[in-house]
Amino acid sequence: MDRWNGKVAVVTGASSGIGAAIVKDLAKAGMITIGLARRVERVEQLKKDLPKEAASRLHAIKCDISVESEIEKTFQRILSTYGGVDVLVNNAGIARSNNLLAIGTTADLRAVLDTNVTGLVLCSQWAYKSMVERKVAGHIVHINSVAGHIVPHIPKLNIYPGTKHAVTALTEVMRQELRDAGTKIKVTSISPGGVQTEILNSAELPEGMPLLESEDISAAVLYVIGTPPHVQVHELIIKPIGEFF
């Protein structure tokens, strides 16, 4: 992680759960860390959990990544204020609890697609632009899911597994584009099993289902971005012991 000391990391969906754990760990690791969230006050509150020096490196910016104009404005602000993006962690993700074949769920479908897929791609575009313009061998990390590789038998997942399968495919598309462009920028997909976060509050989980903690996934982010320049972790699947799926 030494080469990232003082560099800029941007984390989407930073207000709670996995995103909150990631921004705290990146700030403690020495990175200037920008937490993007709709509930920006919750990112500010995370500073209370950090040593003073690390807290000074954590900054919060209000941004809804399902809105393209907000993404553009936010990344332009990051460029002018912090100089650009060296590491991007696409963590923001939402789910809606209803059946895929139920009529009248169009708004939910679009909300999940706009956040989990389109928002992820648009944030990656701006981070890539920043890295290329500054000739930075940066890193883009997608917080994916085991649902991006299988379809868990959990009721009312709706389009969520479809969006995560899209992230799996998009990771490979980005890897090929980064290679073909002659860059040394890395891209990684991290796919956790069940994690004890707010996204599971409305899910109908099997009784006794084992779950990971947000800090388990944050530790994985630090591992993949801390690999030597010639090493690219393409996909990392993390399951709790006794995973049902």
Side-chain angles (χ1 to χ4, degrees):
M1 286 293 295
D2 289 348
R3 71 190 182 98
W4 297 118
N5 191 52
K7 302 299 184 181
V8 177
V10 175
V11 182
T12 68
S15 63
S16 65
I18 295 171
I22 292 170
V23 292
K24 288 191 290 185
D25 281 350
L26 290 175
K28 286 190 286 187
M31 297 196 74
I32 298 167
T33 306
I34 318 299
L36 308 186
R38 291 173 296 180
R39 300 171 295 182
V40 70
E41 69 284 352
R42 294 181 64 169
V43 182
E44 293 285 358
Q45 291 172 2
L46 297 175
K47 295 180 181 181
K48 299 176 182 178
D49 302 330
L50 295 171
K52 186 176 180 180
E53 186 177 352
S56 70
R57 289 190 289 267
L58 177 57
H59 308 276
I61 298 180
K62 184 176 176 63
C63 180
D64 181 348
I65 69 156
S66 69
V67 180
E68 183 174 4
S69 61
E70 289 198 23
I71 293 174
E72 179 175 358
K73 180 176 67 175
T74 297
F75 277 85
Q76 295 283 19
R77 176 179 170 184
I78 291 169
L79 174 63
S80 62
T81 306
Y82 303 101
V85 183
D86 301 299
V87 171
L88 169 67
V89 182
N90 282 308
N91 166 73
I94 63 172
R96 291 291 185 266
S97 183
N98 43 47
N99 288 326
L100 185 63
L101 296 178
I103 297 292
T105 62
T106 305
D108 285 343
L109 295 174
R110 288 178 174 158
V112 177
L113 282 165
D114 286 347
T115 299
N116 296 9
V117 181
T118 306
L120 175 145
V121 172
L122 295 178
C123 288
S124 299
Q125 289 175 353
W126 281 99
Y128 172 69
K129 181 176 186 291
S130 175
M131 294 171 190
V132 169
E133 289 178 349
R134 295 177 299 121
K135 296 181 173 60
V136 169
H139 203 139
I140 298 171
V141 179
H142 306 314
I143 303 302
N144 195 350
S145 169
V146 293
H149 306 274
I150 60 170
V151 179
H153 187 58
I154 297 176
K156 299 183 178 180
L157 282 180
N158 198 281
I159 204 168
Y160 181 82
T163 65
K164 292 303 184 178
H165 273 70
V167 172
T168 300
L170 291 170
T171 302
E172 175 59 12
V173 173
M174 289 185 190
R175 186 192 70 82
Q176 293 180 16
E177 288 192 8
L178 292 169
R179 177 200 62 202
D180 294 349
T183 79
K184 298 297 183 183
I185 300 169
K186 301 180 187 180
V187 61
T188 298
S189 165
I190 297 178
S191 297
V195 183
Q196 186 62 63
T197 65
E198 292 178 4
I199 201 170
L200 294 183
N201 288 348
S202 60
E204 300 177 22
L205 301 178
E207 185 177 352
M209 176 177 167
L211 296 171
L212 296 161
E213 298 294 334
S214 296
E215 291 73 19
D216 301 324
I217 313 310
S218 181
V221 171
L222 264 62
Y223 162 66
V224 300
I225 69 172
T227 53
H230 70 286
V231 175
Q232 178 170 227
V233 179
H234 182 73
E235 176 66 52
L236 182 58
I237 297 177
I238 309 170
K239 297 184 179 185
I241 294 296
E243 170 71 84
F244 285 9
F245 310 111

